[in-house]
Amino acid sequence: FGHERGAFTGAEARRIGRFEQAHRGTIFLDEIGDLSPNTQVKLLRVLQERSLQRVGGKETIPVDVRVIAATHQDLELAMRERRFREDLFYRLSVAVISLPPLRERTDDIPELARYFLRKHGPDFGVPDPSILSEAVQFLQGQPWPGNVRELENVIRKALLLGRGFTISVDDLRAAL
């Protein structure tokens, strides 16, 4: 939300917050389900009033933003347990896209693995990285509690372990 110079110890200069930076654009709020109750109240206020005040400021600053929010939390359960504000949930859930965890969409793993190989291969001096088909099948059998981020990290580690050769099941086991 930003702050004004002198608003607190260490606030030596004015800082424009993310909502102000995103004015007339889009802001992505990751892990919205992990917000503290205090931050949920502040976020709700910004969304309802379409304005904010920087910490230590008196000026009301209009913000026109499209909000995209993501979470791994079950927000409906969090509302029942009073960990997530119901009014904030309904303010955010204009259009909901539910993406199943990676373990439930194993058909996506081969293409994701190829994408991550192409993306990270050059970083490790492997311009044209490859992976054995049995290694891809091995990936498809993993539970992936960290979802796509975990798969990406495993591919990066396997690229290091493979030392420029085709990635094998053994490379993936070691990376996991």
Side-chain angles (χ1 to χ4, degrees):
F1 302 106
H3 62 260
E4 295 292 341
R5 181 175 186 257
F8 50 85
T9 304
E12 297 175 7
R14 171 188 280 177
R15 183 170 92 50
I16 304 300
R18 300 287 189 222
F19 275 91
E20 219 174 324
Q21 291 175 32
H23 182 61
R24 295 194 178 127
T26 302
I27 187 168
F28 175 63
L29 304 175
D30 199 10
E31 298 302 348
I32 195 90
D34 295 337
L35 289 179
S36 70
N38 187 40
T39 304
Q40 289 180 41
V41 170
K42 291 176 182 178
L43 176 58
L44 180 63
R45 188 173 302 128
V46 169
L47 296 177
Q48 286 177 336
E49 297 174 10
R50 295 178 176 256
S51 64
L52 59 85
Q53 283 185 329
R54 293 186 204 108
V55 174
K58 295 180 177 24
E59 179 186 1
T60 298
I61 301 158
V63 288
D64 177 18
V65 295
R66 173 181 34 235
V67 176
I68 298 175
T71 186
H72 69 280
Q73 302 280 348
D74 179 342
L75 293 183
E76 291 178 356
L77 175 63
M79 286 187 305
R80 287 193 299 274
E81 294 176 350
R82 304 214 182 277
R83 293 181 291 114
F84 197 82
R85 294 182 60 97
E86 191 172 335
D87 48 359
L88 179 56
F89 173 81
Y90 290 113
R91 177 68 64 176
L92 290 170
S93 63
V94 174
V96 177
I97 299 170
S98 183
L99 185 62
L102 187 56
R103 70 181 167 274
E104 293 178 15
R105 45 192 184 94
T106 57
D107 289 346
D108 291 350
I109 290 174
E111 186 59 36
L112 286 167
R114 283 190 293 275
Y115 170 76
F116 293 135
L117 285 169
R118 286 189 308 270
K119 177 181 177 184
H120 296 295
D123 297 341
F124 298 109
V126 185
D128 192 22
S130 59
I131 186 169
L132 294 172
S133 60
E134 53 266 21
V136 173
Q137 290 171 354
F138 174 78
L139 290 173
Q140 289 178 297
Q142 300 308 304
W144 302 113
N147 285 304
V148 175
R149 288 185 188 120
E150 182 183 10
L151 174 63
E152 181 174 15
N153 286 331
V154 166
I155 295 294
R156 291 180 70 202
K157 289 176 191 175
L159 279 164
L160 280 171
L161 295 168
R163 297 187 185 135
F165 295 101
T166 299
I167 292 174
S168 69
V169 173
D170 290 338
D171 295 326
L172 294 172
R173 279 196 183 100
L176 282 164

